[in-house]
Amino acid sequence: MADDRKRQPSAGILDSQSVKASECSSTRGYDAGKKINGIKRHVLVDTMGLLLMVMVLPANVQDRDGARLLLKKAMVVYGRIRRIWADGGYAGALVHWTKRAFDCVLEIVKRSDTAAKFIVLPRRWVVERTFGWLGRYRRLNRSYERRTEVAQAMVYLAMCRLMLSRWVKH
């Protein structure tokens, strides 16, 4: 894609997505905010929207708790990351914890309180676009998997397929 970029990312965007799960799923929880009984996909993407890491947890796990688990894993692999953008759901102690634990700035991108209509938020639109890309794969619109490892693998597989199709076109 971009020849002048380094292999290891230095920035990322963090978000989560709640998805309904079938009855056979062993890891389900109720996300009261979205009114969904299912799973929550916590994702970290690079600045182009390509998936760096995904973690599937029950939907009742709060964004900040899921982010801690994801960041602990991600920083082992992507230790060069120094800035992460996220929405207001990640504000609070997680910002200080990220700085202390990884010397990484977790910047909260908030909506304007005065905005009456939809506004594209800086950096945040990238991860939302990634969710849109993943939503094109029917298998990801609902979680049918019994194990979280398989659910995570399906997200990686969809992203690999997307990246391969773009690579072949060029």
Side-chain angles (χ1 to χ4, degrees):
M1 293 206 170
D3 294 332
D4 59 335
R5 291 184 180 262
K6 295 191 182 328
R7 286 180 169 243
Q8 287 284 325
S10 61
I13 302 103
L14 180 68
D15 205 356
S16 68
Q17 176 187 47
S18 295
V19 180
K20 289 182 181 178
S22 65
E23 296 79 26
C24 68
S25 180
S26 62
T27 54
R28 289 190 328 172
Y30 185 71
D31 182 351
K34 302 262 172 52
K35 295 183 173 74
I36 290 179
N37 192 8
I39 61 156
K40 194 178 279 189
R41 295 182 189 124
H42 300 270
V43 299
L44 180 65
V45 300
D46 67 7
T47 55
M48 295 188 306
L50 301 177
L51 188 67
L52 296 175
M53 191 159 287
V54 63
M55 182 171 281
V56 175
L57 298 169
N60 61 334
V61 174
Q62 295 297 313
D63 286 351
R64 287 177 292 259
D65 299 333
R68 278 183 192 244
L69 296 172
L70 177 72
L71 290 174
K72 282 179 186 176
K73 245 175 102 173
M75 289 305 199
V76 171
V77 179
Y78 304 105
R80 193 171 167 268
I81 293 178
R82 292 294 165 248
R83 180 169 298 273
I84 299 172
W85 292 278
D87 66 16
Y90 297 95
L94 182 65
V95 174
H96 304 294
W97 177 83
T98 305
K99 182 67 176 167
R100 209 173 43 252
F102 307 113
D103 192 29
C104 178
V105 175
L106 179 61
E107 185 177 327
I108 305 300
V109 180
K110 292 186 178 181
R111 284 183 297 171
S112 171
D113 293 334
T114 60
K117 60 181 184 172
F118 175 77
I119 296 175
V120 177
L121 298 173
R123 299 293 180 181
R124 286 275 320 289
W125 66 270
V126 175
V127 71
E128 299 300 339
R129 181 183 62 186
T130 303
F131 285 137
W133 291 339
L134 294 175
R136 293 181 183 158
Y137 296 91
R138 242 185 343 188
R139 182 79 181 259
L140 298 180
N141 288 330
R142 182 187 264 284
S143 178
Y144 298 99
E145 318 310 331
R146 291 183 190 270
R147 297 177 40 218
T148 58
E149 297 86 9
V150 177
Q152 289 170 186
M154 294 309 298
V155 176
Y156 285 122
L157 189 61
M159 185 54 73
C160 286
R161 185 174 177 209
L162 177 87
M163 291 175 10
L164 278 172
S165 69
R166 290 184 180 184
W167 183 63
V168 169
K169 288 179 185 176
H170 288 95

